[in-house]
Amino acid sequence: MPIRGLTDIRNQLPTANRQNMAFRPIGAIGLIVVHYDAVARPAQYDPIQRYKDEANYHIHKDWSARPGVTRPIYGFGLMYHIKIDAAGKKYQCQPFELITWHARAGNASGLAICVDLGDGQDPLPAQLTALHE
């Protein structure tokens, strides 16, 4: 699954709770799920630091808010496969085979792409171009 201009930052992001990871074959991907992170996008920012902060949030979040689940379930890292910064640069944040927790019914078959975009902000032209690529 080659994606042009993808910068691999997987080894720069925090991980934990690896026992909660599950994998799938690449061929199981049938959806592209586009998200925005709802964090205000300032004019200037460090995208890698933003992704580290988001990964730490996902690691410490209790994802078990479902009926019948009685123990906390914590994330294992950033729950997006690809992030797109304000300049339209694309970063690989997780292996594509990893099932991330981003769209409940679409987790097992979804490739999660997240755009750096706050509530009420529109995607920038460079971000839209990166999404189309």
Side-chain angles (χ1 to χ4, degrees):
M1 178 180 294
I3 298 175
R4 186 175 42 156
L6 191 62
T7 300
D8 189 343
I9 61 166
R10 291 176 287 177
N11 65 346
Q12 296 179 52
L13 300 176
T15 60
N17 310 309
R18 292 179 180 268
Q19 72 277 6
N20 293 334
M21 292 177 152
F23 293 86
R24 65 189 170 195
I26 286 283
I29 297 171
L31 299 171
I32 295 175
V33 183
V34 178
H35 302 266
Y36 71 99
D37 59 15
V39 176
R41 181 192 59 224
Q44 298 289 320
Y45 69 102
D46 177 354
I48 305 295
Q49 186 58 53
R50 180 183 182 118
Y51 308 152
K52 288 177 181 178
D53 292 344
E54 289 175 356
N56 279 317
Y57 170 77
H58 288 170
I59 287 168
H60 294 97
K61 177 181 176 178
D62 178 1
W63 294 80
S64 65
R66 294 189 321 258
V69 178
T70 57
R71 67 172 180 83
I73 300 173
Y74 295 104
F76 44 79
L78 189 60
M79 293 297 175
Y80 307 113
H81 298 98
I82 297 172
K83 289 283 290 182
I84 299 175
D85 73 10
K89 187 169 181 179
K90 300 176 293 266
Y91 300 88
Q92 183 173 359
C93 302
Q94 294 291 0
F96 297 146
E97 297 88 354
L98 180 63
I99 298 171
T100 59
W101 306 340
H102 62 97
R104 208 171 271 190
N107 289 345
S109 63
L111 183 72
I113 301 175
C114 184
V115 179
D116 293 356
L117 192 62
D119 286 332
Q121 292 180 315
D122 292 324
L124 297 170
Q127 291 175 312
L128 293 173
T129 298
L131 274 172
H132 286 121
E133 291 174 346

